[in-house]
Amino acid sequence: MTCSSFGKCGSCVLYDMSYEDEVQFKAERLRELFCDFDMPTLEIFRSKEAHFRARAEFRIWHEGDKSYYAMFGLDKKIITIDECNIVDEAISDIMQPLLDEITKNEFLRHKLYAIEFLSNVNKELIITLIYHKKWQEEQLIPHIQHLKTKFPHTDYVLRRKGKKVFVDKNYLIETLHIKEETYQYKIIESTFTQPNRYINQQMIRWAMDNSEDLEGDLVEMYCGHGNFTIPLSKRFNKVIATEISPQSIQAALFNAQLNHRDNITFLAMSAAEFARLRSDDSVLLAKYNLQNILIDPPRAGLDDKSREFTNSFENIIYISCNPQTLKRDLEVLSQDRDIKAFAFFDQFPWTNHIECGVVLSKHG
Ligand SMILES: C[S@@+](CC[C@H](N)C(=O)[O-])C[C@H]1O[C@@H](n2cnc3c(N)ncnc32)[C@H](O)[C@@H]1O
């Protein structure tokens, strides 16, 4: 892939190698990091090289009567960029025309600080305009309606300190294809969504393949809007899935209905609170056969309580966006388990970030 921002923009730091070299470089780093564990062969899941990010945020830089998209450069200073080729076509196609329209309209342009984009496979967009000024919504909305006429398939979120307004909605319906089935998900702006839908589909497929022989129920922590939960619920009798964000849980409940899944219980609670239910001999957990757990924590990995809880399951599927914290957690989780599968998902091409997965099962 080429991009005129390569070599300047601090987002893509591995720009001076081919995509295959980038994949091998990261795969080797993973193998080295986990060389003290008894790891199976690393499976590699490649991304599209360009136009793979379904969400992105750009600063807006104003200079005289012109405005530009801006990012932190490789030297950590703000730089303006003419294009970004890692974002979905839906985003890259609209970026400049949208900014041209905004630049023509002093009310929309004045103190516009940043723009966030969220797209779906149908090229619909939620565009969030973030301001460093006070505005009344009745002043801004007519200008936004003009953008909506100019750019069909866009909805807008307007944000400033202490205020957020939607015109007309703050979510999209995303479609994923996994193992010849189609799933639909409500994805809400400002809640977590996997950034790379091509890799996301491969991660869900991998989790399904690796749970084929598992029996009983599934417990899931950090479930978001039910991204893994909904397809995996077809593999298990019952599923209980938890997540800290009430908005994501609302979306997850909606998504279970949308996909006709009726064997899932979603709960909005932190992983540590949920883990505590086990030590409290909860009536809720007594209804489940607690053998299988799927976890997909944020970069910090598992807290002590959640690690102890996870360690009480026979089979663990661990999706990680931070190999360092995965390694720390594996020191405990692999003590009386075999590592059955190890995967590298290139969710963040051209960056040093690595997403990976492991499957562990109690020694036979
Ligand atoms: C890496 S995301 C994974 C989400 C989901 N599995 C997916 O694929 O979309 C991590 C999720 O953990 C949630 N989270 C963060 N801290 C948490 C905590 N302490 N307890 C429970 N969930 C938490 C976030 O809101 C986010 O949805």
Side-chain angles (χ1 to χ4, degrees):
M1 180 185 92
T2 57
C3 178
S4 61
S5 309
F6 267 3
K8 300 190 292 177
C9 175
S11 164
C12 295
V13 293
L14 303 178
Y15 56 86
D16 56 354
M17 45 178 94
S18 70
Y19 182 62
E20 190 53 30
D21 285 351
E22 186 258 41
V23 166
Q24 295 304 338
F25 168 70
K26 287 179 172 176
E28 200 42 41
R29 272 175 43 202
L30 260 185
R31 288 188 197 101
E32 271 171 30
L33 186 66
F34 290 94
C35 66
D36 292 338
F37 294 85
D38 189 10
M39 302 304 273
T41 305
L42 182 68
E43 286 175 82
I44 298 178
F45 295 88
R46 289 167 179 78
S47 172
K48 274 174 79 181
E49 290 184 30
H51 300 298
F52 49 81
R53 268 197 80 95
R55 59 180 162 87
E57 176 184 346
F58 300 94
R59 280 280 305 275
I60 301 298
W61 188 257
H62 303 285
E63 229 172 68
D65 57 1
K66 294 216 162 64
S67 298
Y68 304 90
Y69 289 100
M71 295 291 288
F72 282 106
L74 289 167
D75 58 3
K76 312 275 183 248
K77 293 193 184 124
I78 281 273
I79 54 148
T80 61
I81 57 165
D82 298 326
E83 64 177 348
C84 174
N85 284 334
I86 65 169
V87 295
D88 258 6
E89 274 104 350
I91 302 176
S92 59
D93 288 353
I94 202 175
M95 280 175 69
Q96 200 49 53
L98 176 75
L99 195 55
D100 290 345
E101 277 306 312
I102 290 174
T103 308
K104 281 193 241 161
N105 180 326
E106 197 44 36
F107 202 87
L108 286 177
R109 177 177 182 250
H110 184 58
K111 298 229 171 176
L112 176 62
Y113 173 76
I115 304 184
E116 289 177 4
F117 297 91
L118 175 69
S119 64
N120 69 5
V121 73
N122 297 328
K123 299 192 176 242
E124 295 164 321
L125 289 156
I126 302 293
I127 298 175
T128 303
L129 304 179
I130 303 168
Y131 284 96
H132 273 184
K133 69 172 175 187
K134 283 213 161 169
W135 40 259
Q136 300 304 324
E137 58 194 271
E138 51 284 6
Q139 295 172 306
L140 263 183
I141 286 174
H143 302 286
I144 298 296
Q145 292 298 1
H146 169 74
L147 293 181
K148 280 176 68 76
T149 323
K150 204 83 200 163
F151 305 108
H153 312 302
T154 58
D155 283 300
Y156 294 80
V157 176
L158 306 172
R159 257 172 51 195
R160 66 167 164 87
K161 203 165 176 228
K163 185 144 177 136
K164 192 166 173 175
V165 173
F166 316 142
V167 191
D168 290 309
K169 59 179 169 45
N170 69 338
Y171 68 87
L172 297 172
I173 300 295
E174 177 62 301
T175 305
L176 298 184
H177 300 286
I178 299 146
K179 292 179 136 334
E180 287 161 23
E181 302 232 26
T182 299
Y183 296 89
Q184 292 204 302
Y185 297 86
K186 180 185 209 177
I187 54 172
I188 304 178
E189 148 293 320
S190 85
T191 64
F192 179 87
T193 51
Q194 299 286 354
N196 184 328
R197 88 168 58 83
Y198 308 95
I199 285 292
N200 187 27
Q201 291 172 133
Q202 297 184 64
M203 291 199 301
I204 299 171
R205 206 172 296 134
W206 177 85
M208 288 187 85
D209 287 345
N210 279 288
S211 50
E212 217 148 59
D213 298 332
L214 304 183
E215 286 174 3
D217 302 329
L218 176 71
V219 172
E220 184 183 354
M221 296 198 293
Y222 315 96
C223 69
H225 60 247
N227 182 47
F228 287 94
T229 330
I230 286 169
L232 276 167
S233 69
K234 296 197 165 173
R235 287 263 184 275
F236 295 91
N237 295 337
K238 296 195 289 295
V239 180
I240 181 161
T242 64
E243 152 70 45
I244 202 166
S245 156
Q247 256 199 312
S248 294
I249 287 293
Q250 264 182 24
L253 289 164
F254 180 92
N255 291 334
Q257 281 200 352
L258 192 61
N259 293 281
H260 313 292
R261 303 304 306 150
D262 59 6
N263 62 342
I264 311 170
T265 299
F266 284 109
L267 296 174
M269 56 165 67
S270 77
E273 275 175 307
F274 182 59
R276 247 174 239 121
L277 292 180
R278 180 136 206 187
S279 13
D280 294 349
D281 277 338
S282 126
V283 183
L284 176 73
L285 285 186
K287 288 197 272 179
Y288 293 87
N289 167 353
L290 299 175
Q291 280 197 41
N292 312 303
I293 187 164
L294 172 94
I295 48 175
D296 180 13
R299 288 184 61 74
L302 298 172
D303 59 75
D304 292 347
K305 196 77 204 162
S306 308
R307 193 181 311 106
E308 188 188 320
F309 178 66
T310 302
N311 202 23
S312 67
F313 286 77
E314 291 273 309
N315 306 304
I316 303 168
I317 303 177
Y318 191 147
I319 308 283
S320 164
C321 55
N322 184 350
Q324 301 290 343
T325 53
L326 172 65
K327 183 179 175 188
R328 179 203 63 203
D329 294 337
L330 275 195
E331 304 278 357
V332 174
L333 302 176
S334 68
Q335 271 176 21
D336 56 356
R337 289 187 188 79
D338 296 318
I339 302 175
K340 300 271 187 166
F342 180 29
F344 160 43
F345 305 105
D346 198 18
Q347 167 110 264
F348 313 100
W350 314 112
T351 77
N352 275 313
H353 292 291
I354 295 180
E355 180 102 15
C356 54
V358 292
V359 178
L360 300 113
S361 288
K362 277 255 163 85
H363 296 315

